[in-house]
Amino acid sequence: MAAHVHITPLHRITVTETTAWHQVVAASTAHDLPGVPPPGPGQIHAQLTKPALGSQRLAWMATDEDGTAVAVAGLRLFTQPGQEHLAELELHVASEHRRRGTGSRLLAAVVAACRTENRRSLVVATGADGPGEAFAERWHFKPVLTLDHLILELDQLDRDAIRGVADAEHPGYRLTRWTGTVPDDLATAFACAKNAMNDMPMGDVDYGHVAWDADRVREMARVVVDRGDTLLTVAALHDDATMAGYTEVVLPHGASPRAQQYDTAVVPAHRGHGLGLWLKAAMVRRLRAEHPGVTEVETDNAEDNVHMLAVNRELGFRAYRRTREFQLDLTAN
C-alpha cells in the first residue's frame, strides 16, 4: 500500500520539481515504451509551466518518506469554447513503486479536480497492450480510439522519388511556407483550413468542436515558440486565394533528431488531388535543406483514418508502435 507516500499538488513549479518530474517520466517511459525517447528536461519544464493552447494545467507529485518523487500526474483542463467539458490525464508511476496504490491515489485527486471543474470526460493515452491499459480498465475507463504511430527515417528515403513528388505540378495550386506565426495576409485563410481538422476521425472520443480564427492560429504559434520549439508549416494555396491544405512539423527545443508531425489537413473541397502527399514531400525537402540534424519524423493516425495512413505509408513512414486512448465518464456514479 502507499501509506507512506505523500501526494502534493504543485502550484509554482520549481527547478527541483521539474527535475524530479523528468526523472519519473524518463523511468516510466523506459520501462513501458522501450526505444521511445522520453521528453528532455527542457520539454518537461515547458510542459509544466506553459499550458497548451486553450487550456490550463494542474499537477500533482507523489513522494516517498525520503522525499523522492515516485509518481506524477498532470491534468489538462480544456478552456476553449466547445471543449469546456473535456480534461486530459498524464500519469506516470516509477516501475518499482507500482501496485502499491500510488497511481490510484493520484487518479482520485485528478477525478476530484475534474468534478470541481465540472468536466464530464477525462481522457488518457497509454501504450497499447501495456500496464497503462490494465490500470485504465480497472478504473472503468473505456477504450475510445486506437492510434498507429509511424516513423519516417529521412536518411532512408529515395531522394529522387521525394523530389519528384514535391516538384510535381498541381494545376491551380502553389506551395508556400513559413516558420512560427502565419504571415498576416494568410492568417484568415489558414484558420479556415484549420477547421478542416474537425472532421478528422476521432473514434468515440468526446472531443468536442474547435473553431479556428486568425487570432487563434497566431496564439497557437506563440505557445509553441514560448516553450522553445520551432514550428514549420508548408501550405497549398489555390488560385482563388483559399488555402487548400497544410502540414505542420514541430522541432522540439534542443538538438533532438526527431521532429514531431502536428496537423496535416486538406480542405474537403480540395481532396482527391494528391495534395496531402505533395505537402508532406515538400516538408521532407524543407527539413533536409534547413534542418539537416533532423533524421526522423514521428506521426500518429487514428487506425480508421485510412486515407492519411495510406499517404504516410506511400511517403515512407513505417509502423512504430500503437497507443490507445481511454475515456472516463465523469457523470456516472
Side-chain angles (χ1 to χ4, degrees), residues 274-307:
L275 300 186
L277 185 63
W278 187 37
L279 287 161
K280 282 178 169 279
M283 180 64 81
V284 168
R285 290 190 68 185
R286 182 177 183 185
L287 287 171
R288 281 178 164 163
E290 300 177 9
H291 302 277
V294 174
T295 61
E296 55 190 18
V297 180
E298 179 176 0
T299 191
D300 62 71
N301 299 117
E303 66 175 357
D304 56 350
N305 191 352
V306 293
H307 175 71

Side-chain angles (χ1 to χ4, degrees), residues 20-192:
W21 190 291
H22 176 259
Q23 289 172 344
V24 172
V25 172
S28 172
T29 301
H31 182 271
D32 295 341
L33 301 171
V36 176
Q43 291 173 267
I44 292 292
H45 182 262
Q47 181 187 55
L48 291 173
T49 59
K50 300 181 184 298
L53 179 63
S55 65
Q56 64 186 61
R57 187 176 178 87
L58 302 178
W60 295 261
M61 182 175 290
T63 53
D64 64 15
E65 54 192 358
D66 296 325
T68 301
V70 298
V72 295
L75 180 65
R76 180 184 178 189
L77 296 169
F78 289 73
T79 57
Q80 178 73 14
Q83 292 187 305
E84 302 100 322
H85 65 283
L86 185 63
E88 184 177 58
L89 169 66
E90 176 190 6
L91 179 63
H92 295 273
V93 181
S95 59
E96 64 272 22
H97 289 274
R98 294 177 181 176
R99 299 188 179 279
R100 302 181 186 181
T102 304
S104 297
R105 288 180 59 191
L106 282 169
L107 179 59
V110 166
V111 168
C114 287
R115 288 186 167 136
T116 297
E117 296 290 337
N118 296 316
R119 305 295 155 145
R120 73 169 183 254
S121 297
L122 176 63
V123 296
V124 62
T126 186
D129 305 316
E133 277 202 359
F135 179 85
E137 290 171 347
R138 187 162 66 249
W139 293 106
H140 309 297
F141 285 76
K142 303 298 183 186
V144 288
L145 180 67
T146 299
L147 293 168
D148 289 324
H149 293 248
L150 303 99
I151 289 287
L152 184 68
E153 297 179 8
L154 301 183
D155 293 340
Q156 303 298 315
L157 297 180
D158 183 330
R159 296 196 177 201
D160 290 337
I162 293 296
R163 185 181 301 111
V165 175
D167 290 343
E169 291 188 6
H170 292 263
Y173 299 93
R174 63 180 177 87
L175 294 178
T176 188
R177 64 179 66 182
W178 63 87
T179 299
T181 304
V182 60
D184 286 344
D185 61 326
L186 295 176
T188 298
F190 185 40
C192 291

Side-chain angles (χ1 to χ4, degrees), residues 245-286:
Y246 67 92
T247 188
E248 299 168 317
V249 163
V250 168
L251 311 182
H253 175 69
S256 172
R258 179 175 294 185
Q260 296 292 326
Q261 179 76 61
Y262 270 35
D263 291 351
T264 297
V266 176
V267 175
H270 298 279
R271 292 172 184 168
H273 300 290
L275 300 186
L277 185 63
W278 187 37
L279 287 161
K280 282 178 169 279
M283 180 64 81
V284 168
R285 290 190 68 185
R286 182 177 183 185

Side-chain angles (χ1 to χ4, degrees), residues 316-328:
F317 279 89
R318 62 173 176 82
Y320 171 47
R321 62 187 179 96
R322 304 183 96 195
T323 58
R324 289 197 178 92
E325 292 198 6
F326 287 79
Q327 184 169 284
L328 180 65

